[in-house]
Amino acid sequence: ELKVEQNPLFLSMQEGKNYTIYCNYSTTSDRLYWYRQDPGKSLESLFVLLSNGAVKQEGRLMASLDTKARLSTLHITAAVHDLSATYFCAVDLTQGGSEKLVFGKGTKLTVNP
Amino acid sequence: NAGVTQTPKFRILKIGQSMTLQCAQDMNHNYMYWYRQDPGMGLKLIYYSVGAGITDKGEVPNGYNVSRSTTEYFPLRLELAAPSQTSVYFCASSYSGQGFHFGNGTRLTVT
């Protein structure tokens, strides 16, 4: 059974600071997703990481994937209040030709002025 | 494209009632999914489908049923609603690793 663990689950940080969210998973997968969710809203796709060593950046967010370590990171640079949201990693579990996502519990990020 | 459309957006049920959550996608995706999200938790897979006529259980299928007679529609049926089914339900679709598209969710309260 694939388990996906995110840490921290709660993160309060000041504007302008840097921080990293970690996502560990327990079985082999070559595809990992990062999503953002605002309160009461659906999930917004941030990054799709498709191979070992993949790195993607969008604005103040950068995601990376190390499939050998079964680890992905979401790095936040010079945080701003607008980044306050819950961030989920989700690992693609493809078995027997069917693909599905297994989610971490999410990291609730609060960026304070 | 409308993407993934879920109805209703909100619903309150009494214990023991039944209802169907509707999900439609217009992207011709072969895969469709139902997830539930409880407060402070990630999404958990209820049921999924790899194509019309084919469905399978996910992690938390008890108390739910699904059907998929066409590519576009994937309704989720709740029989004998229980308070434990109070949650936010998300439908999603995907096409062979091309990314997952989520609907806006249905907030269900069972009292």
Side-chain angles (χ1 to χ4, degrees), chain A residues 21-41:
Chain A
I21 298 171
Y22 297 89
C23 175
N24 291 90
Y25 54 99
S26 60
T27 62
T28 302
S29 175
D30 290 331
R31 190 173 296 150
L32 188 141
Y33 298 78
W34 283 96
Y35 290 92
R36 169 182 171 142
Q37 186 180 39
D38 292 301
K41 301 294 186 182

Side-chain angles (χ1 to χ4, degrees), chain A residues 8 10-15 17 19 107-112:
Chain A
F10 299 92
L11 176 57
S12 180
M13 54 191 300
Q14 286 187 310
E15 281 190 329
K17 299 294 187 182
Y19 210 84
T107 297
K108 185 173 182 179
L109 171 66
T110 303
V111 181
N112 302 303

Side-chain angles (χ1 to χ4, degrees), chain B residues 22-98:
Chain B
Q22 302 292 344
C23 177
Q25 53 97 2
D26 61 358
M27 298 170 284
N28 202 33
H29 285 172
N30 49 339
Y31 295 100
M32 294 189 75
Y33 311 84
W34 277 105
Y35 285 89
R36 61 176 285 172
Q37 183 179 28
D38 299 317
M41 302 294 288
L43 279 69
K44 292 191 175 181
L45 183 63
I46 304 171
Y47 270 95
Y48 66 100
S49 169
V50 301
I54 306 170
T55 62
D56 206 349
K57 296 178 181 179
E59 186 182 359
V60 289
N62 292 343
Y64 306 94
N65 279 299
V66 293
S67 61
R68 189 153 178 219
S69 56
T70 67
T71 300
E72 295 82 9
Y73 299 102
F74 190 40
L76 178 70
R77 179 82 176 163
L78 278 71
E79 305 282 2
L80 298 174
S84 61
Q85 294 178 305
T86 294
S87 190
V88 181
Y89 292 84
F90 288 100
C91 179
S93 70
S94 72
Y95 180 71
S96 298
Q98 299 302 309

Side-chain angles (χ1 to χ4, degrees), chain A residues 33-78:
Chain A
Y33 298 78
W34 283 96
Y35 290 92
R36 169 182 171 142
Q37 186 180 39
D38 292 301
K41 301 294 186 182
S42 186
L43 282 79
E44 173 190 354
S45 180
L46 294 175
F47 300 109
V48 181
L49 302 170
L50 299 177
S51 61
N52 187 41
V55 177
K56 290 196 174 180
Q57 183 165 5
E58 180 72 33
R60 301 175 187 274
L61 301 178
M62 183 173 70
S64 66
L65 178 62
D66 181 343
T67 59
K68 293 180 181 177
R70 298 177 186 168
L71 171 69
S72 180
T73 60
L74 180 66
H75 186 73
I76 303 157
T77 301

